[in-house]
Amino acid sequence: MFSLFSKKVSPDEKSRLASKLLSLHSQAPESYKLEKPKFPVIDQTTRLEDLITAQSYKFFTILGMDSSWLAKSPEDWDNDEGFKDVKEFVYTVKVTNDVAERGIKLASDYATILTKDDSIRAQLLQGV
């Protein structure tokens, strides 16, 4: 979903993404179960729009944001207040993986300061 806001994605591709989202909107579930995601098989022929499913609307539902701008041409999205709101979220959201990686790096650095013995360091990190 973040690719809708990327400058590296062409307007044509954004249009295809939006069309697929709009075509699947009626199939979006009323409620969502919290479960382990089912990841698609990705190969050299996979396109961004192949990754869009009816579940993709969860993005707008969770954020409680407007998605009506999807019906417009991608060139007009920057003039839409709904798009601007979602874009601001996308550009400012903290990515969980990045935060987790920083935490792991901090813990590893601290463990290195505490001991030079690899086995004790491994036990310490396992405890953390």
Side-chain angles (χ1 to χ4, degrees), residues 21-114:
L21 272 169
L22 291 171
S23 71
L24 294 173
H25 180 64
S26 62
Q27 298 171 20
E30 292 284 324
S31 62
Y32 299 96
K33 294 187 297 182
L34 187 59
E35 61 186 358
K36 184 177 177 181
K38 296 169 186 76
F39 294 104
V41 176
I42 299 175
D43 60 24
Q44 295 170 344
T45 63
T46 304
R47 298 174 304 174
L48 278 176
E49 62 261 25
D50 297 334
L51 303 175
I52 299 289
T53 67
Q55 293 276 336
S56 298
Y57 253 94
K58 187 186 295 188
F59 176 78
F60 296 107
T61 305
I62 290 172
L63 295 179
M65 297 206 174
D66 178 34
S67 63
S68 62
W69 50 269
L70 289 168
K72 298 178 180 178
S73 171
E75 289 85 5
D76 298 330
W77 289 355
D78 280 324
N79 299 324
D80 188 282
E81 288 302 316
F83 175 80
K84 289 177 185 177
D85 291 341
V86 183
K87 183 177 179 180
E88 181 180 349
F89 169 80
V90 168
Y91 277 77
T92 58
V93 69
K94 293 279 185 195
V95 179
T96 303
N97 191 40
D98 187 41
V99 174
E101 286 176 3
R102 282 191 226 158
I104 290 169
K105 173 75 170 131
L106 180 64
S108 298
D109 289 349
Y110 184 64
T112 302
I113 292 169
L114 291 178

